[in-house]
Amino acid sequence: MCKRKIFQLFATLVFALTFAVSNATAQETISKVDTDIFPEAEKGYKKMVIEVPYSDRDASKRIEFSIGKYMEVDGCNHYGLQGETEVKDLQGWGYQYYIFKTNGDVISTQMGCPDLPKRNLFVSAAPTNLRYNGKMPIVIYVPEEYSVQFKIFTTTDEIYQAAEAPSKSK
């Protein structure tokens, strides 16, 4: 009976090791930069962090982030938050972070739409487009009442050739 338990334990151990090794080779573990090296948020601001997964196709991806907040607006106009995203260098580290500054002003088109119901819309400033890097977090400081949304864009390996425009003068 003792030999049987030892055999079962051995078989379980071999299975577990085989599974662990195959999983380790299936995905690469990347240690990201600790966001504690970035400054604390100033009074009235909060630190937002975007962490994206690392892949061997990082070079074919881009990140676009938008800063804004949900607001109740009318049913037909387009809205935009006034503000600016500053790029700052983390001194001594070679990393960058972003600070969004706004006075809260919102611009909009001025179409009349009295019969359309109001809607809850994420009103944001102009988006920021960055190189995708699965090894680095993106640190953004925003006023406390704002949030950050982001998209990941991916390209294909296809390359296209532009056509030459014919000259009009002969």
Side-chain angles (χ1 to χ4, degrees):
M1 192 73 149
C2 186
K3 287 183 181 182
R4 182 176 180 166
K5 284 187 178 184
I6 291 174
F7 177 76
Q8 286 176 336
L9 179 62
F10 180 75
T12 303
L13 184 60
V14 168
F15 175 78
L17 284 173
T18 304
F19 182 76
V21 169
S22 67
N23 264 357
T25 57
Q27 104 182 22
E28 185 175 348
T29 302
I30 299 294
S31 295
K32 295 193 184 210
V33 173
D34 184 3
T35 58
D36 289 343
I37 66 171
F38 291 89
E40 287 296 315
E42 294 178 10
K43 183 177 172 120
Y45 278 76
K46 60 185 175 182
K47 182 181 356 180
M48 305 293 288
V49 179
I50 298 173
E51 295 230 18
V52 294
Y54 173 80
S55 77
D56 57 357
R57 294 190 34 85
D58 276 9
S60 68
K61 297 178 183 179
R62 303 280 300 173
I63 295 279
E64 178 185 273
F65 70 82
S66 299
I67 300 164
K69 67 179 177 178
Y70 281 94
M71 305 172 102
E72 186 174 283
V73 296
D74 63 33
C76 68
N77 284 294
H78 298 277
Y79 293 85
L81 175 65
Q82 294 290 292
E84 185 176 301
T85 303
E86 283 183 50
V87 180
K88 297 279 194 171
D89 288 321
L90 184 60
Q91 296 299 316
W93 292 90
Y95 304 138
Q96 293 181 325
Y97 61 93
Y98 303 87
I99 300 175
F100 179 70
K101 297 190 176 183
T102 183
N103 61 8
D105 287 347
V106 174
I107 59 170
S108 75
T109 56
Q110 297 294 314
M111 297 184 291
C113 48
D115 296 337
L116 293 175
K118 294 200 179 281
R119 58 194 167 132
N120 199 25
L121 182 70
F122 187 75
V123 177
S124 65
T128 301
N129 196 313
L130 303 173
R131 185 177 67 85
Y132 186 102
N133 184 350
K135 297 178 182 177
M136 287 291 300
I138 300 169
V139 177
I140 309 158
Y141 297 89
V142 301
E144 288 177 344
E145 63 272 15
Y146 293 89
S147 63
V148 178
Q149 295 182 346
F150 68 97
K151 297 177 185 176
I152 299 174
F153 294 94
T154 304
T155 64
T156 65
D157 291 333
E158 295 178 36
I159 298 175
Y160 302 93
Q161 185 67 39
E164 183 176 339
S167 176
K168 291 184 180 180
S169 62
K170 289 198 177 198

